[in-house]
Amino acid sequence: MQEQWWDTDIELLNSRPAPISDAYLINGLAGDSYPCSKNRMFKLRVVQGKTYLLRIINAALNTHLFFKIADHNVTVVSVDAVYTTTYVSDVMILTPGQTVDALLTADQPNGMYYMEISPYTSANSLVPVPPSTPIRGLIVYEDAKSTASPSNSLMPSGMNAISTAHRFSSNITSLVGGPYWTPMPDHVDEKMFVTMGLGLNPCPPGTKCIGPFGQRYAGSLNNRTFVIPGTISLQEAYFYNISGVYTDDFPDQPPMKFDYANFSVRTESDYEMMFPERKTSIKTLKFNSTVEIVVQNTGIITPESHPMHLHGFNFYVLGYGFGNYDPIRDARKLNLLNPQMHNTVGVPPGGWVVLRFKANNPGAWMFHCHMDAHLPYGIIMVFIVQNGPTPETSLQPPPSNLPQCTRDPTIYESLATSVDLSS
């Protein structure tokens, strides 16, 4: 288990931007690099020649994390609980909420070897680089001498981190014919091109905001900042056909075409484009329709890897790339034979991914950035999948004891206000 830890008042984690964590943890322990845990380190004891299944979970709120074991390779067999073609690697990248199952063979000389995690911070121009203190656990061979010095690993850093993360993510493929494998649908009913990333909202009067131009940060998908309803859930509004809660007009294309990956303000219209429309906007899908989405990361504020997560479905990842997606050039490179299946995918900084899923689960389902700090920013949209032809494929009524929504919508909105905590 990979985790984040803060030595602060938990209420401060609601500020935006969220403070950088003081440490990362492996199964609750930071390891011997920190005085407070010098003698408390997660240790995995192994027997030479045996193979072990590691189940690695990134439970951090806001950070992608690399995982590596000194002098050892691992064989990836599953990502997001979906079997993969075996892939041998010396390092893994996990986005927030993502899981990897990998086989570790204790095939090195008897001794001790550090297992290490380190943050992958792709928005260095916006987010301060976390402390470089290593976060370590230990692989301990059965006959290792207690006085032996553990072997260290060299973790990715700088531009090497981007290429390492991309290499790992883009090399995962599905185990065709394996348990629970389902073939990818060939026919596509709905095609969408969705730009995503950060933008700006006007700074509220009397508030000091630390975003560009003195504004506060916002998030957007196709230039829409999602506003979460404050009185009733989207699922209930859809089921009971209550009007005024959302609009069924999420666009299939961004409202303006521009150099997505290399944005810069040159004109007044460029500046205005940095301010997305605030709206509770959804897209309705017919039951069993197949949806293909090109998710294009933008550099409007800064290029950054955003882990996009879809509720209610696994999706096929057909391909990754950098720069602006080209529907002719890049479409030829897509994997239509054994694409990986995920429910969370890291969109490369200044790049794109192509996703495909079958809308066979009725109801209202969020598609959003899986970084906790970006939810109040509004990097969210919602798919509403219509009922199928049978009771088993239709949305059931809410339970009679469903708690009523009493949230004040202004509270959640206030969390997105970027306040200078040093003042």
Side-chain angles (χ1 to χ4, degrees), residues 388-396:
T390 66
E392 291 76 16
T393 58
S394 298
L395 189 63
Q396 300 301 302

Side-chain angles (χ1 to χ4, degrees), residues 4 23 37 45 127 138 146 209 224 237 246 252 287 386 389 413:
Q4 282 181 281
S37 62
R45 301 187 183 277
V127 179
L138 272 180
S146 59
C209 297
R224 297 275 176 90
Y246 61 85
D252 289 341
F287 181 81
Q386 295 176 332
E413 180 178 338

Side-chain angles (χ1 to χ4, degrees), residues 92-112:
M92 293 176 278
I93 182 72
L94 289 88
T95 69
Q98 202 161 42
T99 65
V100 171
D101 290 356
L103 300 175
L104 167 68
T105 299
D107 57 3
Q108 295 300 305
N110 283 321
M112 294 188 290

Side-chain angles (χ1 to χ4, degrees), residues 32 41-46 48 68-72 104 106 108-116 136-153:
D32 60 359
M41 177 184 295
F42 175 70
K43 297 178 181 179
L44 176 61
R45 301 187 183 277
V46 300
Q48 192 176 46
K68 187 173 183 178
I69 299 173
D71 300 339
H72 289 73
L104 167 68
Q108 295 300 305
N110 283 321
M112 294 188 290
Y113 301 84
Y114 279 123
M115 67 173 77
E116 189 168 337
R136 301 187 293 214
L138 272 180
I139 301 291
V140 181
Y141 278 67
E142 184 181 44
D143 296 325
K145 295 180 179 179
S146 59
T147 56
S149 297
S151 296
N152 286 292
S153 60

Side-chain angles (χ1 to χ4, degrees), residues 205-229:
T207 303
K208 184 178 181 180
C209 297
I210 61 173
F213 307 105
Q215 307 301 323
R216 67 178 181 177
Y217 292 113
S220 71
L221 295 172
N222 273 355
N223 213 40
R224 297 275 176 90
T225 296
F226 192 81
V227 179
I228 294 181

Side-chain angles (χ1 to χ4, degrees), residues 200-400:
L200 298 174
N201 271 335
C203 189
T207 303
K208 184 178 181 180
C209 297
I210 61 173
F213 307 105
Q215 307 301 323
R216 67 178 181 177
Y217 292 113
S220 71
L221 295 172
N222 273 355
N223 213 40
R224 297 275 176 90
T225 296
F226 192 81
V227 179
I228 294 181
T231 57
I232 192 171
S233 70
L234 287 173
Q235 186 106 316
E236 291 174 280
Y238 166 64
F239 184 85
Y240 292 118
N241 196 27
I242 299 173
S243 61
V245 178
Y246 61 85
T247 57
D248 186 8
D249 62 353
F250 185 85
D252 289 341
Q253 302 286 327
M256 294 182 62
K257 292 184 177 181
F258 58 98
D259 188 354
Y260 307 113
N262 302 286
F263 177 85
S264 61
V265 177
R266 298 184 181 90
T267 66
E268 185 175 343
S269 61
D270 291 334
Y271 177 75
E272 291 175 353
M273 193 164 55
M274 298 177 72
F275 291 81
E277 182 181 8
R278 293 176 52 79
K279 208 169 185 183
T280 307
S281 185
I282 67 98
K283 179 174 175 61
T284 298
L285 300 173
K286 292 182 178 179
F287 181 81
N288 241 14
S289 60
T290 298
V291 185
E292 184 172 291
I293 313 172
V294 177
V295 185
Q296 173 70 58
N297 209 328
T298 69
I300 289 180
I301 297 297
T302 181
E304 179 178 10
S305 177
H306 292 273
M308 294 302 293
H309 174 66
L310 178 60
H311 290 215
F313 305 91
N314 281 340
F315 48 71
Y316 299 88
V317 183
L318 278 61
Y320 300 78
F322 291 93
N324 297 321
Y325 178 78
D326 186 307
I328 298 176
R329 179 196 64 215
D330 294 324
R332 300 192 188 106
K333 306 174 186 176
L334 300 181
N335 179 1
L336 304 179
L337 298 176
N338 59 348
Q340 57 191 264
M341 294 180 69
H342 289 336
N343 57 51
T344 306
V345 63
V347 186
W352 50 266
V353 298
V354 180
L355 315 176
R356 190 180 292 184
F357 72 96
K358 182 174 278 293
N360 55 8
N361 193 3
W365 303 106
M366 286 176 60
F367 182 50
H368 66 96
C369 181
H370 223 212
M371 295 173 71
D372 183 72
H374 288 181
L375 287 175
Y377 288 169
I379 308 181
I380 304 170
M381 61 86 59
V382 171
F383 291 106
I384 288 184
V385 179
Q386 295 176 332
N387 287 336
T390 66
E392 291 76 16
T393 58
S394 298
L395 189 63
Q396 300 301 302
S400 59

